[in-house]
Amino acid sequence: MSAFVRIALGLALAFLYAPILVLIVYSFNDSKLVTVWGGFSTRWYAVLFADGPLIAAALVSLKVALLSAAIAGVLGTLAALALDRHGRFRGRGAYTGLLYAPMVMPEVITGLSLLLLFVGIGLDRGIATIVIAHATFATGFVAVVVGARLKGLDRALEEAAADLGASPARVFFGITLPLIAPSVAAGFLLAFTLSLDDLVIASFVSGPGATTLPMRLYSQVRLGLNPEINAASTLMIATVGLVVLAASWLTARRGQGV
């Protein structure tokens, strides 16, 4: 790369990640003022873990993320199998469009549409509605990840198992699923991350007793900044970073055919 490209790349990375780095550094600030450095301290992490409402919101986020990621993992895998194995079928274009639409649709529109749906069918808003909403927009992402693996899958292994008398169910659980397991796990982790970070959609479909961690942090930020929010944000960044690294590792294993 030329010097100009390197400088431009460095400036772009600094623009994206310098604020995050500053937030992480100031989460260890001893001062009560978020913009004044008062020395290194972990006091705000102790304050964070003693904050009952914030911990409760974090547990809600984890519960929602796990449930929605599990649902999206199953539905996304089945959708990818339908698109890859059944070729051209009536309504394929509409099916594909509806599957991938939540990926490109603004979250405000998705959240408002789901809110109107839940109100129309009389479903009380709470954890269940957040899980349904997050699973809805994460299913397409899982389908993309699993579908990419299915494109490169050697069908001869499945055909050999079928020729030896294995039923379709046994072929799937004994051959296909183990081969696509890394991509299914990567899709699950991606859906987990998307759910854990979501604020807009959850704000529309949540109800009493279903406050997620991003919603809680946003409400506290509106009242004023304090280093406890920096500590909570740092832990969220670490969690999401670990999940992304795990998904990348599983995707790399998938690409190597492991």
Side-chain angles (χ1 to χ4, degrees), residues 231-252:
S233 301
T234 299
L235 292 180
M236 282 194 67
I237 292 171
T239 302
V240 172
L242 291 175
V243 172
V244 171
L245 288 176
S248 300
W249 178 72
L250 290 172
T251 303

Side-chain angles (χ1 to χ4, degrees), residues 59-69 127 130-131 134 195 212:
L59 293 177
V60 170
S61 287
L62 289 175
K63 182 187 299 184
V64 168
L66 288 172
L67 291 175
S68 61
I127 292 179
I130 303 178
V131 170
H134 285 181
S195 174
T212 62

Side-chain angles (χ1 to χ4, degrees), residues 169-193:
R170 187 166 185 180
V171 170
F172 174 75
F173 288 105
I175 303 296
T176 307
L177 187 58
L179 291 175
I180 66 174
S183 61
V184 174
F188 172 87
L189 293 175
L190 178 59
F192 178 87
T193 302

Side-chain angles (χ1 to χ4, degrees), residues 80 83-85 92 144 146-155:
L83 292 174
D84 183 74
R85 298 302 169 83
R92 179 187 173 92
V144 169
V146 178
R149 174 58 180 143
L150 289 171
K151 293 292 183 183
L153 191 64
D154 187 3
R155 297 289 299 274

